[in-house]
Amino acid sequence: MTSSIKIIDEKLLSDNWYILKKITFEYQRKNGIVETQSREVYDRGNGATILLYNSQKKTVILTRQFRIPTYVNGNKDGMLIETCAGLLDQDEPETAIKRETEEETGYRISEVEKVFEAYMSPGSVTEILYFFIAEYSQEDVANEGGGVEDEEIDVLELPFEKALNMVKTGEIKDGKTIMLLQYLQLHKNF
């Protein structure tokens, strides 16, 4: 049985960085009762992420950068190790992730493989994240990476086994990164 949903009101709370709205809606529960509920919904657009891997060297490319939300939630220095990622900015996911890969990591990748897509925080954020993997080699280096404009990104080449161990030790705590590392472990015989 599908529930019936009717949007009653949308109130803009902030459009400072992205869009934060308070949405009031009617929701028909499975038992037929209609309830009025309100939720805050954060819309920052959809994004894409990629794990670059080298099957001969058994290495992966990750990034490290400062993330203020992690800092205010207990990450001592705010630095987070993660897969390359970015917003689509009106592009198709494959186009966007190729652009982000070169900007952040310095690797110019021509072939990417989409492996899945997911809502990462569906209780409050509208974003769908498109997940990719791609093989890389030294011949793919186009620049030093590090991001653009106000980004300050370190590029890390790590042995795959070390990256997996960093999940266990808590050095890697980023959900999208953990998902892609586990995908690679399950599907690429690393």
Side-chain angles (χ1 to χ4, degrees), residues 22-163:
K22 180 178 181 181
I23 309 238
T24 304
F25 59 98
E26 289 181 348
Y27 175 79
Q28 183 178 352
R29 300 179 66 87
K30 292 182 210 176
N31 64 9
I33 295 174
V34 176
E35 293 181 344
T36 300
Q37 299 182 8
S38 291
R39 297 288 186 273
E40 289 183 1
V41 176
Y42 192 55
D43 184 353
R44 55 184 304 268
N46 294 328
T49 186
I50 191 166
L51 179 60
L52 300 178
Y53 67 94
N54 184 300
S55 55
Q56 288 185 334
K57 292 175 22 178
K58 302 289 188 210
T59 55
V60 293
I61 298 293
L62 297 174
T63 63
R64 180 176 44 225
Q65 63 183 307
F66 179 75
R67 298 295 199 182
I68 187 67
T70 74
Y71 179 78
V72 298
N73 196 21
N75 182 0
K76 289 182 199 174
D77 62 3
M79 299 302 284
L80 198 67
I81 296 173
E82 57 190 299
T83 51
C84 168
L87 295 177
L88 300 186
D89 295 331
Q90 308 302 316
D91 285 331
E92 291 298 314
E94 185 174 313
T95 302
I97 201 57
K98 287 177 180 179
R99 177 190 69 240
E100 289 294 329
T101 300
E102 188 168 343
E103 288 174 3
E104 291 189 5
T105 71
Y107 287 87
R108 184 174 296 140
I109 303 296
S110 58
E111 298 294 322
V112 298
E113 177 185 348
K114 180 183 169 197
V115 293
F116 54 87
E117 57 190 70
Y119 290 100
M120 294 301 290
S121 190
S124 60
V125 180
T126 62
E127 178 183 37
I128 295 173
L129 195 59
Y130 298 88
F131 289 76
F132 294 88
I133 59 173
E135 182 103 23
Y136 78 93
S137 70
Q138 285 309 115
E139 289 77 40
D140 298 319
V141 174
N143 61 64
E144 65 184 30
V148 295
E149 299 164 10
D150 63 344
E151 294 179 311
E152 190 172 77
I153 299 170
D154 298 325
V155 180
L156 310 174
E157 183 175 41
L158 298 171
F160 180 68
E161 288 301 322
K162 180 178 181 177

